[in-house]
Amino acid sequence: MKQTVKPIWILILFIGFSNNLRASDNSSSDSIKVAQIINGFYDWYLTSIKEKKHSDFKPTFVESKNGMTTLDFTKYLDNLKEHRFSDSLISKERQSYSCCIENLGKVKFTDFQKITFTDLDEYEQANCDFGNYYRWTGGQESIDGIRVVDVKFISSDKIYVVIDYFEFNSVVNRKYYWGKNGLTLIKIDSHWFIDKIDSWKMVDNETRNE
């Protein structure tokens, strides 16, 4: 009996060790995948901003079928889907403009930006001032890029990722890191999707450079 116990325990330990290795490999693979998704999204988003492709990265004001003003989300939401936003986050993003759309519905498109909606106050009062800040980085000034600094597994199908913002100084060829943000990604049918992006915040009172 004693002679059979030892091999059994060795087998159990081996199986456990193998499972741990597979779990570690899966974690490493998932970390790489989510980092690629996040970098891909911000590469697209920041490039679209710099190239002023407005309809690509935010909804645009258009004329509705009844001649009033509304928002067109077509290219914007298609791009979010292409860059791995979850259906739930896309739905929340679309819903966040409902008050703006309701207010725009009272404005004739022929009057829009001619008689009415000619200053920022009107956009703010109508909850349509989304063009005055950058939705997925925060603030009124664009950043030059991001870097992934931490990947935390909340569960096997949820990951929280911390990113830094940076500005690039071409004169001294240096990146200055000054803020951070967090993203939650979820796994659906073995694929990772961005499910939430937090509001950005400063790390400290001074910029960091590396």
Side-chain angles (χ1 to χ4, degrees):
M1 187 70 178
K2 292 182 179 180
Q3 292 179 346
T4 59
V5 171
K6 187 174 181 181
I8 291 174
W9 274 110
I10 291 174
L11 178 61
I12 291 172
L13 290 172
F14 177 76
I15 293 172
F17 179 70
S18 298
N19 288 337
N20 287 337
L21 282 178
R22 284 195 294 271
S24 178
D25 289 343
N26 289 338
S27 296
S28 178
S29 175
D30 285 333
S31 296
I32 293 171
K33 287 176 181 177
V34 298
Q36 289 174 337
I37 290 170
I38 292 171
N39 282 314
F41 164 66
Y42 278 106
D43 283 346
W44 161 77
Y45 183 57
L46 298 176
T47 298
S48 296
I49 291 172
K50 290 175 183 178
E51 295 180 355
K52 299 182 179 180
K53 297 179 178 179
H54 301 297
S55 63
D56 281 6
F57 67 87
K58 63 181 179 180
T60 55
F61 299 97
V62 296
E63 184 176 5
S64 65
K65 292 180 180 179
N66 62 359
M68 307 305 277
T69 309
T70 189
L71 294 177
D72 180 13
F73 294 86
T74 307
K75 291 183 69 176
Y76 175 48
L77 296 187
D78 282 348
N79 281 324
L80 294 186
K81 185 173 183 178
E82 181 180 345
H83 288 89
R84 306 295 288 278
F85 272 47
S86 69
D87 289 342
S88 61
L89 182 53
I90 290 175
S91 178
K92 289 176 184 176
E93 175 64 4
R94 176 66 174 76
Q95 184 63 30
S96 70
Y97 296 89
S98 58
C99 187
C100 172
I101 292 173
E102 181 179 349
N103 290 324
L104 289 175
K106 305 169 186 176
V107 180
K108 291 182 179 180
F109 191 68
T110 52
D111 294 339
F112 182 71
Q113 294 182 333
K114 296 172 185 175
I115 298 175
T116 186
F117 281 83
T118 57
D119 59 53
L120 180 58
D121 285 344
E122 291 178 280
Y123 286 90
E124 291 176 342
Q125 291 169 9
N127 292 303
C128 294
D129 59 327
F130 56 86
N132 194 43
Y133 61 93
Y134 292 109
R135 178 73 177 90
W136 303 115
T137 57
Q140 297 177 325
E141 300 293 331
S142 178
I143 63 173
D144 288 323
I146 64 101
R147 68 171 177 178
V148 173
V149 295
D150 192 20
V151 177
K152 300 177 181 178
F153 281 80
I154 307 303
S155 65
S156 60
D157 57 3
K158 179 181 282 190
I159 291 178
Y160 186 75
V161 180
V162 178
I163 62 173
D164 272 347
Y165 292 171
F166 70 78
E167 294 176 0
F168 181 71
N169 187 321
S170 58
V171 176
V172 296
N173 192 33
R174 178 174 292 174
K175 295 176 181 177
Y176 292 88
Y177 296 90
W178 57 269
K180 70 176 181 179
N181 207 348
L183 298 89
T184 301
L185 290 91
I186 58 174
K187 182 184 277 188
I188 302 174
D189 296 330
S190 76
H191 297 290
W192 287 100
F193 297 89
I194 299 171
D195 197 50
K196 182 182 178 183
I197 298 180
D198 298 340
S199 299
W200 73 275
K201 60 183 178 180
M202 297 294 291
V203 175
D204 48 41
N205 293 327
E206 298 181 356
T207 56
R208 294 166 292 120
N209 59 80
E210 294 180 14

